[in-house]
Amino acid sequence: RKEVEQDPGPFNVPEGATVAFNCTYSNSASQSFFWYRQDCRKEPKLLMSVYSSGNEDGRFTAQLNRASQYISLLIRDSKLSDSATYLCVVNGNNYQLIWGAGTKLIIKP
Amino acid sequence: DTGVSQDPRHKITKRGQNVTFRCDPISEHNRLYWYRQTLGQGPEFLTYFQNEAQLEKSRLLSDRFSAERPKGSFSTLEIQRTEQGDSAMYLCASSRDTDGYTFGSGTRLTVV
């Protein structure tokens, strides 16, 4: 089993719709969680940190479920510019961050 | 520009040659990381520095790979005797303690 698992997608979503991704992690001791966005052939960029109490930033909401060991990302009123790959990141042992392979999102007009 | 910068952006090299990449992190960040990313995969951890100390090195890093951060500022990643399997995007990131990373634009290596 991979340490961080994501549905690779692609998720094809019409503009304006709401879309949600989940990510599961295996290390129950993990304390830090992040969502990154990566555009094609570009570097990953931090989208948001995920706190125990959840985190909302505009159209984006991240949630953490420790009992089931997953984090989620919800995008409301999706825009064409939201098309990207969304990477789930969880801290592992010894300072490392463990990366999922990413979920590809395609927003269609 | 106060972001993480990497040089070069692209490198094409012949199999068997040595290559060296440079990373300049955000100045106030004490942690520096090297990752490798291939198409369709998330970044894979290679190594990590806290200040000038190399604290962690992945099993992925064979003895052909070496990284340094001599003064706790910029870092170099050298690959000796490159192989075609080394072709990937090499990403450098920096952070302050356990905050989220800031990545550089990466160095895309192609070994022919």
Side-chain angles (χ1 to χ4, degrees):
Chain A
R1 183 188 170 188
K2 291 183 178 179
E3 292 184 79
V4 177
E5 290 200 71
Q6 295 183 252
D7 183 338
F11 284 50
N12 291 286
V13 174
E15 191 176 7
T18 296
V19 61
F21 316 132
N22 277 350
C23 160
T24 58
Y25 61 94
S26 61
N27 185 349
S28 60
S30 296
Q31 296 295 323
S32 301
F33 309 89
F34 307 94
W35 281 104
Y36 276 74
R37 171 200 169 122
Q38 186 170 28
D39 294 293
C40 188
R41 302 180 74 83
K42 300 281 189 180
E43 74 277 16
K45 293 186 177 177
L46 180 63
L47 181 64
M48 58 199 313
S49 303
V50 187
Y51 306 121
S52 296
S53 56
N55 191 19
E56 185 171 326
D57 183 3
R59 299 182 293 108
F60 297 83
T61 300
Q63 296 282 346
L64 168 64
N65 185 318
R66 286 191 185 275
S68 300
Q69 292 181 211
Y70 75 83
I71 65 174
S72 63
L73 178 67
L74 181 78
I75 305 174
R76 291 181 296 278
D77 187 24
S78 53
K79 312 291 184 191
L80 293 175
S81 58
D82 294 334
S83 297
T85 296
Y86 291 84
L87 296 156
C88 169
V89 190
V90 175
N91 79 305
N93 299 323
N94 298 327
Y95 319 109
Q96 292 182 38
L97 292 187
I98 311 299
W99 294 71
T103 296
K104 187 171 185 178
L105 173 65
I106 300 171
I107 306 297
K108 297 189 170 181
Chain B
D1 187 342
T2 58
V4 178
S5 62
Q6 290 188 246
D7 182 68
R9 292 291 303 274
H10 304 275
K11 178 71 177 179
I12 300 174
T13 191
K14 290 184 178 180
R15 190 173 50 187
Q17 297 295 306
N18 300 344
V19 294
T20 300
F21 311 141
R22 177 180 169 124
C23 171
D24 287 89
I26 292 173
S27 58
E28 60 265 29
H29 284 182
N30 58 337
R31 298 187 179 195
L32 185 148
Y33 310 81
W34 284 99
Y35 281 81
R36 180 173 68 188
Q37 188 175 25
T38 53
L39 194 64
Q41 300 298 317
E44 294 176 296
F45 172 78
L46 292 179
T47 191
Y48 152 69
F49 291 85
Q50 182 158 317
N51 301 312
E52 67 275 10
Q54 187 174 19
L55 297 186
E56 187 75 14
K57 191 174 174 180
S58 166
R59 291 188 300 273
L60 292 173
L61 227 60
S62 73
D63 55 7
R64 297 184 297 106
F65 288 71
S66 62
E68 293 183 345
R69 194 183 183 196
K71 297 181 180 178
S73 57
F74 75 91
S75 175
T76 57
L77 177 69
E78 181 183 15
I79 309 174
Q80 296 181 328
R81 305 181 304 282
T82 51
E83 301 172 356
Q84 286 188 319
D86 297 332
S87 296
M89 174 76 90
Y90 289 83
L91 293 162
C92 174
S94 69
S95 72
R96 185 176 58 193
D97 297 321
T98 56
D99 294 346
Y101 293 176
T102 300
F103 278 92
S105 300
T107 295
R108 185 169 297 280
L109 173 67
T110 302
V111 181
V112 298

